[in-house]
Amino acid sequence: MNETLLAAERARICDYGRRMTADRLVVGSSGNISVRVGELIAVTPTGIEYADLTPDSISVLDPGGRRLAGDRPTSEVPLHLALYERDDVRAVVHTHSVHATAASMLVDQLPPVHYLLALFGGTVRTARYATFGTPELAASARAALRDRFGCLLANHGAVTVGGNLAAAYERAVQLEWLCQVWLTARAAGRPRPLPAGELAAVSEAILGYGAVGRERD
Ligand SMILES: [Zn+2]
C-alpha cells in the first residue's frame, strides 16, 4: 500500500478525528470524515477509535471506491462518494452528535429560528431514513443537501460538507449548537422564527461573498 499518497490530508483527518471526539460530536468509532483531492478521496477507516487513528490507517480511494492505500474504509463510503459528485464539495464530516441526532427524530427540517443557518445555505433538511451504509441513504442525503452545506439524517445523525475540511468541520460544530439551541427553546415554549426573508438574505450575504471559493485549500 502507498503510504505517501495524500499524506498531508491523511494526517489532517487524524487531527480532526480526535477533535471530533473531544468536541463530543461522536462516541467511540462512530461517524466519519473524508477529504477529496482531485479525483482521490481520503476517508476514515471502519471500526477504529479516533484516538488510535494513524495517517497510514486512513483509506485512500479512487472515484470508483477502490482502495489504493490504508485500512478498510468506513461502511459509509457510498454516502461520501455521492456527495463528491458535487464540484464544490471537497470535505465531508458525518457525526452522531447528540442534539443533531435528537432533532433528526423530530422534524423534516430545522425551522428558520437563527441566522447562523445561513452557514448551510438556508434551512437544514432531514434526509429520509435508510439503513447506514446503503446507496439509499447516500441518495437521500444527497437530495437533502441540494443547495445546502449540511443536513440531518433521520434517526441517525448529521452530515456537513465544505470546500475544505476546516469549513465542513466548523459546520458540524455549528449545526450541533443550532440543534441544541432549538431543542432548548422548544422545550421551554414555542420558538419564534426569524422575520420572513431574513434567512435567505443573510445566506446570500454570507455565501455570496465567495465563501465557498475561500474554502478551497
Ligand atoms: Zn452514522
Side-chain angles (χ1 to χ4, degrees), residues 201-212:
V202 178
S203 297
E204 196 172 315
I206 289 182
L207 300 174
Y209 282 110
V212 174

Side-chain angles (χ1 to χ4, degrees), residues 31 76 94 96 156:
E76 293 291 11
H94 167 46
H96 289 179
H156 179 159

Side-chain angles (χ1 to χ4, degrees), residues 15 120 127 129 147 152 174 178:
D15 293 342
F120 305 90
Y129 182 81
D147 302 325
L152 305 178
Q174 296 292 350
L178 281 161

Side-chain angles (χ1 to χ4, degrees), residues 30-32 74-76 79 94-96 132-133 137 153 156-159:
S30 70
N32 29 77
T74 168
S75 55
E76 293 291 11
L79 170 72
H94 167 46
T95 72
H96 289 179
F132 78 94
L137 179 61
L153 303 178
H156 179 159
V159 179

